Amino acid sequence: MMWLFLKERLAWIGFFVCLQLWMNILFFLDDGFSDVSIRYINLINVLLFLIFFSWRYVKESKQLRTFCSGGAMEDEVSPFQRQMLQHVNKTIHELEQQMNKQKLDALERHDEILAWVHEMKSPMTALKLMMDQIEQGTLKERVEYEWLRIYLLLDQQLHATRLSTIEKDNRLEKVVLQSVIYKEIRELRSWCLEKGIGIEIGELEEVVTTDAKWLAFIFRQIFSNAVKYSKPNTEIHIYTEQDTQGHMCLHVQDAGCGIATEDLPRVFQKSYTGTIGRETMAATGMGLYLAKQSAEKLGIRLQMTSQVNVGTTVTIQFPMDNEYHKSYGM
């Protein structure tokens, strides 16, 4: 604190040094001061300055401690400082009002988006029923494909809106991986059939502790990416294993175009589409970002390895039960 005080009062110190120099030069040049003890005058001036400097240090240090502790400062400051403090408090109050207004506006937009997404579910359901009436053929496959794209985009928007309140929306429970994964694969079945993509599924009888709804969303983003970037007439492998530390890991491996080495560290960043996304214009850069954010809220780790023109493997690593006890107090 002393060093900060010295830096703050450099102008005082400079003025005092200049004053002393001027006085000593005057004593040296003017013979009228020949009988005056210059050393005595300098000593008295320095002593008075140190007393004044110490008094200001004690007073301003007390003010700073009062301010840092959140106490009232009206009785501790000078009239000039009081006026400045009142101006600062007024500015803070105005900023708080603006921030509260922005929060209310954000909440209103949040509710409007949620309402819009829910309203879109009705026509989406109606379209689904109408598609069931279309005879099997190329037209039906194309309509189902476009319907699925709209459905996935709406799903992303819905979960992006809910992500900020995921702590209020999740429910940790024992989940059988098979029940979640099979349901998501069925939802994307028409897309897989159109591209001729096969699904090879390992034993998925393992049970993990997580939120089933959010796990389904995370897997949906990863699996839809695997389907989107897989080469036609290839297979996607979905299997589980335990790593060396005892974590249950779910792997989704595709035989797609792969991800460039320079893109790999950034694939989970918001709105990052990478080289392939720019070439195809099919990527929004939000799916993996939302999956990563959701996973972190649940204590799940997402890892990715990839090789260009070979394929990509995404690993969903679940925390062990004792880690949930530490994080969530289960």
Side-chain angles (χ1 to χ4, degrees):
M1 187 178 290
M2 174 60 79
W3 174 242
L4 292 176
F5 184 74
L6 289 172
K7 287 179 67 176
E8 184 71 19
R9 295 294 177 258
L10 283 177
W12 287 11
I13 298 170
F15 175 74
F16 176 75
V17 170
C18 291
L19 191 63
Q20 288 298 104
L21 286 174
W22 162 249
M23 187 175 63
N24 281 272
I25 292 172
L26 183 64
F27 284 163
F28 180 76
L29 296 178
D30 196 333
D31 294 335
F33 295 107
S34 58
D35 296 333
V36 179
S37 174
I38 298 177
R39 182 178 300 176
Y40 175 76
I41 294 295
N42 284 332
L43 182 62
I44 293 298
N45 284 348
V46 170
L47 181 62
L48 290 175
F49 179 76
L50 289 176
I51 292 172
F52 171 77
F53 198 79
S54 300
W55 170 67
R56 291 305 306 172
Y57 172 72
V58 171
K59 183 174 180 63
E60 294 186 26
S61 297
K62 183 180 178 181
Q63 291 175 353
L64 181 59
R65 283 192 294 269
T66 302
F67 178 77
C68 291
S69 63
M73 293 188 60
E74 283 74 9
D75 299 331
E76 302 286 343
V77 298
S78 65
F80 179 80
Q81 291 173 327
R82 186 177 294 110
Q83 185 175 358
M84 184 173 64
L85 187 62
Q86 288 173 352
H87 177 72
V88 170
N89 288 334
K90 181 182 177 182
T91 303
I92 291 174
H93 179 68
E94 291 175 351
L95 290 174
E96 285 178 345
Q97 287 182 326
Q98 292 179 10
M99 185 173 65
N100 290 333
K101 185 178 183 300
Q102 290 175 353
K103 284 182 177 179
L104 289 174
D105 292 342
L107 285 174
E108 288 179 1
R109 287 194 296 271
H110 178 274
D111 293 339
E112 288 172 359
I113 292 172
L114 276 179
W116 177 78
V117 173
H118 285 293
E119 286 294 327
M120 286 295 293
K121 285 184 176 181
S122 296
M124 290 293 290
T125 303
L127 283 173
K128 185 68 172 174
L129 294 173
M130 292 169 65
M131 284 190 302
D132 293 337
Q133 305 300 319
I134 302 175
E135 294 183 3
Q136 194 66 36
T138 305
L139 175 61
K140 183 172 183 179
E141 290 176 359
R142 294 300 303 167
V143 172
E144 285 181 342
Y145 173 74
E146 297 300 333
W147 181 90
L148 187 58
R149 287 181 60 190
I150 298 173
Y151 167 77
L152 291 174
L153 289 172
L154 284 174
D155 183 66
Q156 277 189 8
Q157 183 60 65
L158 177 63
H159 284 82
T161 307
R162 289 178 172 173
L163 186 60
S164 60
T165 57
I166 186 174
E167 292 85 358
K168 301 176 182 178
D169 188 43
N170 65 4
R171 184 180 65 181
L172 299 178
E173 57 187 347
K174 298 293 183 181
V175 178
V176 180
L177 289 176
Q178 188 182 71
S179 62
V180 174
I181 292 171
Y182 278 22
K183 180 178 181 297
E184 295 305 318
I185 292 175
R186 283 194 298 270
E187 291 290 336
L188 296 178
R189 183 179 63 249
S190 60
W191 199 356
C192 295
L193 290 174
E194 183 179 355
K195 296 188 68 174
I197 296 173
I199 312 295
E200 183 178 329
I201 305 175
E203 296 294 330
L204 299 177
E205 300 294 337
E206 291 82 357
V207 177
V208 295
T209 303
T210 189
D211 182 277
K213 183 178 69 175
W214 283 97
L215 173 61
F217 172 73
I218 294 168
F219 178 79
R220 193 180 310 137
Q221 304 312 305
I222 295 170
F223 183 64
S224 62
N225 260 24
V227 175
K228 183 188 301 182
Y229 295 112
S230 284
K231 298 173 184 176
N233 304 313
T234 57
E235 286 189 343
I236 296 175
H237 299 268
I238 302 173
Y239 59 98
T240 59
E241 67 175 357
Q242 258 190 343
D243 64 11
T244 55
Q245 297 177 338
H247 297 96
M248 180 57 61
C249 296
L250 174 65
H251 303 283
V252 180
Q253 182 180 29
D254 67 62
C257 53
I259 301 171
T261 305
E262 62 271 18
D263 290 338
L264 201 56
R266 304 168 63 186
V267 291
F268 292 112
Q269 293 180 5
K270 187 176 183 179
S271 300
Y272 186 73
T273 57
T275 305
I276 301 300
R278 288 188 176 89
E279 291 174 356
T280 61
M281 301 298 290
T284 63
M286 292 299 293
L288 289 178
Y289 165 76
L290 292 173
K292 180 75 169 178
Q293 296 299 310
S294 305
E296 288 179 351
K297 300 280 188 179
L298 297 174
I300 295 172
R301 291 185 62 191
L302 296 185
Q303 299 169 329
M304 181 181 291
T305 57
S306 185
Q307 188 174 347
V308 176
N309 294 324
V310 176
T312 301
T313 300
V314 180
T315 300
I316 303 174
Q317 184 193 75
F318 297 94
M320 293 183 288
D321 286 346
N322 60 339
E323 292 173 333
Y324 271 122
H325 281 287
K326 291 178 182 178
S327 301
Y328 298 96
M330 290 179 58

